[in-house]
Amino acid sequence: MQLKIVGGDLAQAKTPCLILGVFDKRKLSQPADAIDKATGGAIAALLGKGDLDGGKGWLLAYDLPGIAAERVLLIGLGKRKECDRGKLTKALGGALARLGEMRVDKALLALPDGLDDYASVRAAALKAAETAYRYEATKKPKDDAPVLLAALGIWVDKPKHAAAERAVAHAGAIAEGVALARELGNLPGNHCTPTYLADRAVELAGEHAALTTEVLDEDAMQALGMGALLSVSRGSRQPAKLIVMTYKGGDDSKPVVLVGKGLTFDAGGISIKPAADMDEMKYDMAGGASVFGAVVAAARMGLPLNLIGVVPSSENLPDGDANKPGDVVTSMSGQTIEVLNTDAEGRLILCDALTYVERFEPDVVLDMATLTGACIVALGRHPSGLFTGDDKLAAEIAHAGEASDDRVWRMPLWDDYQQQLDSNFADMANIGGRDAGAVTAACFLSRFTKSYRWAHLDIAGTAWTTGKEKGATGRPVPLLSEFLIHRSGVETDA
Ligand code: BES
Ligand code: MN
Ligand code: ZN
């Protein structure tokens, strides 16, 4: 999808559809007022009929005099004082869905005054790009399916141009990352295997000059002593891969390292999961997909920083050679682990990846994982769970979440919980009992991250939408992108 900033005389702008905001009690936004004047009061007259009072909903008008747009779509934005980025993107989402059904694939959005800053422009552009994604890899759309948005112009007042240009450029890059993460999450397990992910990572390196990919196979991982990771893949016919993507955009500064759980299908192993909704466990690689997405977004934005994305990838299936409850495995760190539940496999593949990344002398390490159902029980599906002992890093991540509308909520990571992982037969067990399952999972990971600054995001609730609209969300690519933009010191609003 094409995104661009448009300036100049709005009345003269040629577009199949001009989208204008109207506030509660039929108050016009500044651009809507300008169009009202250009049309000799046609907008006010239309609203006077009472079909749209501006609280919510939309109204469509054709062939208005004095303007170049073929149609005008008025969208209700609610009370002017309460109208923020969130209300704008929500109304825009509804409007664009309507346009898709009308088979209109190009539009021009005139942002209301006060919502034309970097953050609002980026959010609106990202929302539009989001509506332009549809999963088609194994299901072709019907002939009468809505058309996808092909191009969106965003009209802003002149002085804001530079920030707005930057906002749409960033939105385009983030949208590409989000769409990639969604596509990988939506692909079925028989298509999206560890080998497939590794091949895609190699392909991506071919598309971006500053990006290189290295893939470690099982022999290489064996040589490194990754006994925890390999114990999981032993139960599957698909060989595990450790995917390492390096983006070099900075000088010799220490890299930000992103690690993502890449479980392409999680049946639970010998501790097998119930049948209901097990299909959804194809998204157990969403953490890995978010690493792909963030790396691509950073490369497309050309951010001035060094970034390494690491994705340990495997399946978790029951098999004659699979992990058995009670098995003890030795991790790359040398610490031994008693596998009390083979369904707690994410931490087994992540712990070796987290030890592996020590070699990069990271500035900071973030890991993303669909790690626990317990995190969904604790927080629902709105925020991702944030776990870190580093208050400054927690604040930085929380801020990135707010600024990108991809929020997190911090959970405790106190030592008090660590004893739940005690084992009589190994340095630790891989589960910590019923209480605080998301916390004990994070505690487990913390034992492998002592040598660098680290935070863990449990995205079990946020990376996927269940129910009729089921599918991957692309989260937390927006958060990660924002975190990287902020870290690299790129100007946004200036
Ligand atoms: N991938 C699952 C966690 C999960 C569950 C993600 C539901 C998304 C939705 C993970 O590998 C898992 O099975 N975790 C277990 C841990 C338990 C055995 C301690 C869980 O959450 O039940
Ligand atoms: Mn599992
Ligand atoms: Zn899992």
Side-chain angles (χ1 to χ4, degrees), residues 18 122 164 264 416 473:
L18 174 61
R122 195 181 84 184
T264 58
D416 310 55
T473 62

Side-chain angles (χ1 to χ4, degrees), residues 10 19-24 26-37 43 47 73-75 77-78 80 83 88 109-115 155:
L10 190 56
I19 306 174
L20 297 170
V22 180
F23 298 111
D24 186 39
R26 299 176 214 157
K27 295 210 177 69
L28 301 180
S29 62
Q30 230 170 55
D33 189 53
I35 291 300
D36 186 52
K37 295 213 166 74
I43 303 285
L47 291 172
L73 180 59
L74 300 172
I75 57 174
L77 296 174
R80 185 193 282 269
C83 187
L88 171 71
L109 169 69
L111 284 174
D113 39 305
L115 286 175
W155 182 88

Side-chain angles (χ1 to χ4, degrees), residues 261 266 268 273 284 316 342-346:
K261 173 177 174 182
D266 179 13
K273 288 181 182 294
D284 211 13
N316 185 28
T342 67
D343 198 9
E345 83 299 334

